[in-house]
Amino acid sequence: MEIIVATNNQGKLLEMQQGIYDSNISLVSYQKYSQIAEKPQEAGQTYFENAYLKAKFYQAKLKQPVLADDGGLELVAFPEILGLKTQRFFKSSDPLDQNQEILALFQNTKTSKKVTLKATLVYLMDESNYLTSEASLVGEIVPPKGTMGYGFDSIIKIPALNKTLAEMTDFERAHYSPRIQALKKILLKIKGD
């Protein structure tokens, strides 16, 4: 079974494919079918709305079912600046720079470093026929540690393991990743299990 994913981020696609441990399912970028230059408008008020808008955009272009995700970092100490606006908050598109921008928020402050990483997925067959799932992970922001994963993985520590996501094996990281957990849930719905 092939599932078209509304992303051209190869790191995200690889993480998703490895995280499901199912060789019968192939996750491919929409770029396999079309080099769409436009980007969807993510003007929703919730992660679900943004994922739905993204899925709707690519589904309408490709005339095939599409899986889209949205999510963000929610910082207890700074609830107004990230969340739905996570990607728009950053000055740089480089993940290492983005991590430094987050760490800079906590310089010279003793505020809570608690963070919730959220993911919402929408699988859209047509405009009124869709499946959705969501998951979240609570951790804390720490200085970068570890070399695995991508994105924010090196600065999000899971207190129960005393490790950042970037210090975990692929198997461990898949167990904690909200995107992977939401993906596993939605795949069960897609397959009708």
Side-chain angles (χ1 to χ4, degrees), residues 42-58:
E42 295 181 49
Q45 299 302 305
T46 64
Y47 298 124
F48 166 78
E49 288 177 13
N50 280 340
Y52 178 85
L53 290 169
K54 200 184 300 184
K56 181 179 173 185
F57 175 86
Y58 288 107

Side-chain angles (χ1 to χ4, degrees), residues 113-152:
K113 293 185 179 174
K114 185 176 175 183
V115 61
T116 303
L117 187 58
K118 293 193 173 179
T120 299
L121 274 63
V122 171
Y123 183 70
L124 188 72
M125 286 75 85
D126 59 56
E127 200 166 320
S128 59
N129 192 7
Y130 65 87
L131 301 168
T132 186
S133 67
E134 58 184 29
S136 60
L137 169 69
V138 175
E140 62 183 60
I141 298 294
V142 296
K145 218 169 171 192
T147 58
M148 304 297 285
Y150 73 105
F152 306 117

